[in-house]
Amino acid sequence: MSGATGAQGPGARRALWTEVGGVVLLGLGTFVLLSVASFDVGDLPGRVSPARLEPANWCGSLGSLVAWQLGRWVGTLGALAAGGLLLVLASSCLRARPARGADDPAAGAVIADLQAPERPEPLRRVVGALVLVLTLALVERLVAGSPWGGLVDRGLPPGGYWGLLLEAELAGRLGGLGGPLFGAVALAVGLVLVTERSLRDLAGRGASRVADAARDAAERARDAARSEER
């Protein structure tokens, strides 16, 4: 019995540290999202006179600095995507804890082995996250140069350094249509890697959610009309 307990020790410790890492990533992702969402260029030193005594950013001066540095490199969309993808990675770590048998350690090991192929692949998701962040930086750069540029004007450089670099490279090599096509393909690849689901599955889930939302809206409208008639 002691041998079985000792054999489970390394796995239990690894699961514990994985869960700790998931909690840390959850906090970091939330911090990044709040920092970018509440970014105000006036919080930066030397941008307004007199200088603000208290930053407007929800996460304080550190949040302003984090949002500015991320925005300089990947723009607003890329920075928001980075925060969201940290949350996705956190959920992967928090779900990666292996199943254990309540009374039988051997049964718990068998269950864990059977469930192993379904566990998320952190490295694959990290690669997908990088692809998504860089692609969104490019998208923001392209949108900023269009009539809808005001949608991405948050005081941060549109697309950041990476968006500017990718736009210059793709425009010169792929032309006006090839660049957006490349961006769409890269975005799809990033989504598949991050979610570990096929495009058909993602499209089906998205269509199902839209249909459910439309059905709920129709039911609410019907109920409101009935209440007015009464």
Side-chain angles (χ1 to χ4, degrees):
M1 190 71 178
S2 61
T5 305
Q8 282 189 331
R13 287 193 295 270
R14 184 163 52 250
L16 176 62
W17 283 112
T18 299
E19 191 163 354
V20 169
V23 173
V24 172
L25 289 174
L26 181 63
L28 288 175
T30 305
F31 183 85
V32 169
L33 285 177
L34 293 176
S35 299
V36 177
S38 61
F39 176 77
D40 189 333
V41 70
D43 290 338
L44 300 176
R47 294 303 180 100
V48 294
S49 181
R52 292 178 177 173
L53 298 178
E54 294 291 337
N57 196 288
W58 296 338
C59 296
S61 57
L62 180 59
S64 298
L65 179 62
V66 169
W68 172 246
Q69 292 299 331
L70 283 174
R72 285 177 60 194
W73 286 97
V74 293
T76 302
L77 292 181
L80 289 173
L85 292 169
L86 284 175
L87 298 183
V88 172
L89 294 176
S91 67
S92 300
C93 294
L94 295 175
R95 290 201 309 264
R97 198 178 182 106
R100 294 178 293 180
D103 299 320
D104 189 355
V110 172
I111 294 173
D113 290 340
L114 291 175
Q115 290 183 343
E118 299 179 358
R119 295 175 191 166
E121 293 288 342
L123 181 59
R124 185 185 305 165
R125 289 194 164 187
V126 168
V127 173
L130 290 175
V131 172
L132 277 179
V133 169
L134 295 180
T135 304
L136 287 175
L138 172 63
V139 170
E140 182 179 357
R141 186 70 190 178
L142 295 175
V143 172
S146 70
W148 300 282
L151 297 176
V152 294
D153 185 10
R154 293 292 310 279
L156 293 170
Y161 297 142
W162 279 105
L164 179 61
L165 175 63
L166 291 173
E167 181 191 34
E169 289 293 324
L170 294 179
R173 298 177 185 274
L174 300 178
L177 293 179
L181 178 61
F182 176 86
V185 172
L187 189 64
V189 170
L191 285 173
V192 169
L193 291 175
V194 168
T195 60
E196 296 183 344
R197 298 182 182 277
S198 66
L199 287 177
R200 180 180 300 177
D201 190 11
L202 291 174
R205 286 174 176 267
S208 177
R209 290 177 180 176
V210 170
D212 291 341
R215 191 181 304 111
D216 293 340
E219 291 177 357
R220 287 195 295 269
R222 191 181 305 113
D223 293 340
R226 289 175 181 174
S227 62
E228 290 179 358
E229 291 176 358
R230 293 176 184 176

